[in-house]
Amino acid sequence: MATVRPFRAYRPPQAQAARVASPPYDVISTAEARVLAAGGLHSFLRVSRPEIDLPEGTDEHDDAVYARGAQNLADLIASGDLAQDPEPHLYLYAQRMGDHRQIGVVGCAAVAEYEQDVIKKHEKTRPDKEDDRTRHIEELGAHDEPVFLTYRADAGIDRAVAEALQSPPIYDFTTTDGVEHKLWVLGRAATADIEERFQAIPTLYVADGHHRSAAAARVHRKLRGDGGEHDVFLAVVFPHDQMNIMPYNRVVRDLAGRSAEALLAALGERLDIAPARDGAAATPAGPRTFGLYLGGRWYTARVRPGSFDAKDPVASLDCSICQDQILGPIFGVSDPRRDKHVDFVGGIRGVAELERRVDSGAFTMAIHLYPTQIDELFAVSDAGLLMPPKSTWFEPKLRSGLFIHTF
């Protein structure tokens, strides 16, 4: 069974929601956060990126940063920018980005189910990021940014959600990136119905938020027995058929300083390479195909049959093939988590960003991947395996500050 527990959310008043809501901490830099929150005492970035309230150059892992985040959360509550619902609820959070719409149930997932692998993972966490989120959550005494979970869609839950959507939302606003955000507070009957329906769901999957969920488990282990509600963590749970996964592209620097012709020759020993038609960006139309940008031109690279283990759910991922056939043997990238001459570019940034990175001289080649599919994520997670780093980029991102779980 899967637990999706109601909770008493701290959330902004209706008129303040758009001003409080902010991008998640891990998709913007400190400099970007300073610009976005400039003059905005209501912005939740003051909690999720509290270093913006301290002098420039402050280490974001300094003790003062974590303390400032806790103080800023207390200030938002004291000012009325965040207020706690008097009763526990489940909530519905709907987002629309262009033609794509996704509707998730907001509730609390169980730490015990995370530890027992009822909530399955597909990504290896980095100790430094896990340490950071653990300290952040513990200092706040709250889960301030939700983990993005998914499950195999269920017709009964779909019907219950559709029925709840007939009432007007409590929030309805569009952010500057053009994404529409709506939130519904479910009544007692709808909350109880959906909570019970999730108990028939055998497995949840972490789509995005591996470090936050791992940190929540660490905080619970540390505080176990003190009576606080830290045996759960904040989550938004979406059906799998509403997932929008974009590619997580790569840019790489050739430390050997080879020419474009020499690199194409090396690539051609492993892949079938052809110039892109009419010089247009080579956006992969299907799996086992890459778009390559180098020397000011786009090329299509096709993976040769039999060059990878098609039965292995990890080895057969396009991002694994990219590592095994391009980044590793040709560019010497042995550890993409730590190697400084490879970088990762979320698909939302588009082809223009790939071209910009290469044309600037900062990188030698860009690799445009076909996005990982949700069935591939399930297959890897169900096998108890892990994907390579930066395998998935989910859009739209969940806005922070619309609901907070305190413990």
Side-chain angles (χ1 to χ4, degrees), residues 13-306:
Q14 189 173 31
Q16 291 285 80
R19 288 202 289 175
V20 172
S22 67
Y25 87 99
D26 55 350
V27 302
I28 57 172
S29 67
T30 298
E32 290 169 327
R34 287 186 190 277
V35 172
L36 289 173
L41 294 178
H42 308 279
S43 173
F44 200 75
L45 285 169
R46 298 182 59 236
V47 177
S48 61
R49 279 286 188 178
E51 69 272 14
I52 66 176
D53 282 348
L54 298 172
E56 288 195 34
T58 300
D59 185 337
E60 61 188 79
H61 302 116
D62 191 279
D63 290 347
V65 173
Y66 299 104
R68 189 58 176 261
Q71 182 60 57
N72 286 348
L73 177 59
D75 289 347
L76 287 176
I77 292 171
S79 68
D81 286 318
L82 295 173
Q84 190 172 32
D85 284 329
E87 296 183 357
H89 300 273
L90 293 178
Y91 307 79
L92 297 181
Y93 180 24
Q95 298 171 289
R96 184 184 296 278
M97 184 180 74
D99 294 332
H100 175 75
R101 192 185 192 210
Q102 58 189 35
I103 306 164
V105 177
V106 183
C108 286
V111 168
E113 292 175 7
Y114 173 85
E115 293 176 330
Q116 295 161 7
D117 217 30
V118 173
I119 301 174
K120 294 183 180 291
K121 309 86 176 165
H122 69 266
E123 182 180 300
K124 182 178 180 180
T125 57
R126 281 174 40 187
D128 58 334
K129 290 188 68 175
E130 196 176 309
D131 290 346
D132 168 63
R133 288 301 92 187
T134 299
R135 178 80 183 276
H136 178 74
I137 291 169
E138 187 176 4
E139 289 277 347
L140 292 183
H143 302 114
D144 62 321
E145 294 189 304
V147 176
F148 190 149
L149 300 177
T150 188
Y151 63 98
R152 288 184 172 87
D154 174 84
I157 295 176
D158 287 348
R159 286 193 297 270
V161 167
E163 184 175 338
L165 293 176
Q166 299 309 306
S167 60
I170 193 71
Y171 303 152
D172 184 352
F173 63 93
T174 301
T175 43
T176 55
D177 56 3
V179 178
E180 178 187 89
H181 304 264
K182 295 182 180 181
L183 188 78
W184 287 258
V185 180
L186 299 185
R188 289 183 181 179
T191 289
D193 179 37
I194 292 177
E195 181 183 14
E196 182 178 358
R197 290 179 185 277
F198 267 104
Q199 292 177 4
I201 300 297
T203 307
L204 301 176
Y205 299 83
V206 179
D208 201 1
H210 284 81
H211 291 93
R212 292 190 288 277
S213 49
R218 283 177 57 178
V219 170
H220 174 59
R221 287 194 294 270
K222 182 174 181 179
L223 302 181
R224 193 189 306 270
D226 74 351
E229 196 179 76
H230 42 71
D231 60 330
V232 293
F233 57 89
L234 183 61
V236 187
V237 193
F238 293 90
H240 82 281
D241 54 5
Q242 293 181 23
M243 293 295 90
N244 180 39
I245 307 178
M246 301 183 79
Y248 218 143
N249 300 313
R250 276 74 166 139
V251 287
V252 61
R253 186 181 303 107
D254 181 33
L255 298 183
R258 288 168 288 184
S259 67
E261 291 75 15
L263 283 171
L264 286 168
L267 289 160
E269 293 177 4
R270 297 174 177 273
L271 303 155
D272 294 330
I273 309 291
R277 186 174 298 176
D278 301 324
T283 301
R288 318 295 181 257
T289 305
F290 305 111
L292 306 178
Y293 183 72
L294 70 163
R297 295 189 62 183
W298 280 97
Y299 300 85
T300 295
R302 300 189 186 281
V303 179
R304 294 168 182 165

Side-chain angles (χ1 to χ4, degrees), residues 333-382:
V333 177
S334 58
D335 185 353
R337 285 185 176 84
R338 295 180 174 85
D339 202 309
K340 300 300 185 184
H341 66 287
V342 66
D343 200 6
F344 303 89
V345 182
I348 192 67
R349 295 185 180 270
V351 167
E353 177 65 9
L354 297 178
E355 294 178 348
R356 187 192 70 79
R357 295 278 198 111
V358 174
D359 291 344
S360 71
F363 292 91
T364 307
M365 187 175 81
I367 309 170
H368 194 333
L369 279 72
Y370 187 73
T372 300
Q373 302 299 293
I374 192 66
D375 288 344
E376 293 177 314
L377 185 151
F378 285 160
V380 171
S381 300
D382 287 341

